[in-house]
Amino acid sequence: MFEPRASLPSWTMAVALALLVSGPCPGSTRPLRDPHDDDGFDLENYDLNTVTDLETLGANGYEDNYDYEDLDQEIEVGTVAASIHHPDSQTTVERHQEKVVTIKEPLPLTLDFKGSGLFGPQTKLGMPTCLLCVCISGSVYCDDIGLEQIPPMPKETTHFYGRFNKIRHVKNTDFMSLGKLQSIDLTGNQISEMDEDVFRSLKHLQHLLLADNNLQILPELPATMKRIDLRNNRLISRGLRSETFKDMSQLQFLYLSNNNLDYIPTPLPLSLRVLHLQGNNIQSLHEDTFCDSHDRSFIRRKLEDIRLDGNPLNIYLFPRAYVCLPRLPVGESMIL
């Protein structure tokens, strides 16, 4: 009996229809999860930070995921950590500082002074003159610092100021080797004694100020003097050398007020412009005190300021003493 056979395409179609009707093959696909089943996915304990954030990944996907807030904290902690002092590093710093101190120690310096040191020669007070005093461009200022003697000075000194101290005695060694000295101001000390040759070596001395001291005797002065101030001392006429001012051809200012002089020290140089003698014990004048009795045409043109007030002297009793002067001296007309 003839039995008809199904063709191959028909068989194939039958198998495909069977698969579609029966559904997907078990094991070939993941089984569908029950939407009411929460056992496999715990939302309460789920950590969102575990989810990979693709935006934080690098371009190649292999870079680390940094938390930049933590990075700032790391930098801040690093700054604090830098200030921690370790024993070893502190020892190193101390050793370094010791080396620096050793380097900064002053080296011994020697200048061309009368003595050694950058600040001039040493004084008996334990420090150099130019630390005890002020030294500026050839001038040494030692005013009102309690000096009891003249300090040693650099040999380049041209002007010395030692005012308002406690100096009593000026020795002939005080200005030794100071050949450039031009001015000495010792106003307001307690000087009562000066060696006779104390100024003899000062060939350039021009200004000597010794006001407000206790001098009775004036030592020998160089002929280079231009200004002499001896006000308010105890000078007596016997304490002045004979013709002490005669050879001072540059002398312009002579202040001798408030002393114990009995007469005007003559002869006076023609260069003199100011002569102050008030407050002494001068009682008389002579024709040759200011003028020349042998030359009636002689005129002393430069001497314009003469003070004789405060003396027991009647200036009007000596008219011939002023005939050569451009101006009459200031004085009193009391009748003895």
Side-chain angles (χ1 to χ4, degrees):
M1 180 178 190
F2 177 76
E3 294 182 1
R5 292 184 298 181
S7 62
L8 180 60
S10 300
W11 182 82
T12 303
M13 291 294 294
V15 173
L17 291 172
L19 292 173
L20 291 172
V21 172
S22 61
C25 179
S28 63
T29 62
R30 181 179 177 181
L32 295 176
R33 183 179 61 83
D34 188 355
H36 299 287
D37 185 10
D38 294 334
D39 294 335
F41 197 11
D42 189 0
L43 293 177
E44 294 180 358
N45 298 322
Y46 184 71
D47 187 3
L48 295 176
N49 293 330
T50 60
V51 179
T52 301
D53 188 358
L54 295 178
E55 294 180 357
T56 62
L57 294 177
N60 297 325
Y62 298 103
E63 297 179 4
D64 294 332
N65 183 18
Y66 287 102
D67 188 342
Y68 290 96
E69 294 182 356
D70 293 339
L71 183 61
D72 294 339
Q73 294 177 358
E74 291 177 0
I75 295 174
E76 186 175 354
V77 171
T79 304
V80 174
S83 64
I84 297 176
H85 298 285
H86 299 287
D88 295 339
S89 63
Q90 185 175 2
T91 303
T92 304
V93 172
E94 291 177 354
R95 290 177 181 174
H96 177 68
Q97 291 178 349
E98 291 177 358
K99 292 180 180 180
V100 172
V101 172
T102 302
I103 294 173
K104 290 184 177 180
E105 287 182 356
L107 298 176
L109 298 176
T110 301
L111 298 181
D112 194 17
F113 290 157
K114 180 194 172 186
S116 61
L118 177 61
F119 298 102
Q122 292 285 337
T123 66
K124 291 185 178 180
L125 297 179
M127 64 178 65
T129 297
C130 293
L131 286 181
L132 180 66
C133 306
V134 177
C135 301
I136 303 176
S137 184
S139 297
V140 177
Y141 297 87
C142 300
D143 295 336
D144 198 14
I145 56 174
L147 289 178
E148 295 183 358
Q149 60 184 8
I150 305 296
M153 289 173 277
K155 72 174 187 179
E156 300 298 322
T157 303
T158 57
H159 298 76
F160 171 60
Y161 301 88
R163 298 167 289 196
F164 313 114
N165 285 289
K166 300 177 181 179
I167 301 171
R168 296 177 180 272
H169 181 202
V170 181
K171 298 173 289 186
N172 56 5
T173 56
D174 288 337
F175 302 112
M176 187 176 295
S177 302
L178 298 177
K180 296 184 178 181
L181 200 58
Q182 300 176 17
S183 175
I184 298 173
D185 190 347
L186 291 170
T187 300
N189 279 270
Q190 302 171 18
I191 302 172
S192 59
E193 183 180 358
M194 304 183 81
D195 291 352
E196 176 61 27
D197 55 349
V198 62
F199 303 120
R200 186 172 295 170
S201 63
L202 304 180
K203 305 300 182 182
H204 299 284
L205 187 64
Q206 298 179 350
H207 305 276
L208 179 62
L209 289 77
L210 296 171
D212 301 309
N213 281 283
N214 298 317
L215 285 170
Q216 288 187 313
I217 300 174
L218 182 66
E220 180 183 356
L221 300 178
T224 54
M225 299 304 303
K226 291 184 177 180
R227 180 182 181 185
I228 300 173
D229 189 351
L230 292 164
R231 294 171 297 166
N232 304 320
N233 276 272
R234 298 179 181 179
L235 283 175
I236 57 177
S237 295
R238 296 192 308 272
L240 299 180
R241 296 168 61 89
S242 176
E243 301 184 343
T244 186
F245 305 114
K246 177 182 178 181
D247 296 327
M248 298 180 185
S249 59
Q250 302 179 64
L251 183 62
Q252 299 183 37
F253 305 94
L254 181 57
Y255 301 98
L256 297 171
S257 57
N258 298 316
N259 281 281
N260 296 316
L261 298 176
D262 297 321
Y263 55 83
I264 297 176
T266 58
L268 298 172
L270 296 178
S271 58
L272 197 62
R273 298 174 54 189
V274 176
L275 175 62
H276 285 187
L277 288 162
Q278 68 268 32
N280 280 279
N281 193 37
I282 300 173
Q283 302 181 24
S284 64
L285 298 174
H286 302 282
E287 292 188 13
D288 293 330
T289 299
F290 304 113
C291 305
D292 186 352
S293 60
H294 302 288
D295 185 2
R296 297 298 181 180
S297 63
F298 173 78
I299 298 178
R300 188 182 288 271
R301 299 184 183 277
K302 294 183 179 180
L303 187 54
E304 297 184 348
D305 185 3
I306 302 176
R307 293 283 302 274
L308 291 172
D309 48 309
N311 285 276
L313 173 69
N314 188 345
I315 62 171
Y316 294 104
L317 296 178
F318 310 96
R320 292 184 177 274
Y322 322 124
V323 293
C324 65
L325 298 176
R327 295 182 182 177
L328 291 176
V330 175
E332 299 174 358
S333 60
M334 61 181 177
I335 300 175
L336 299 178

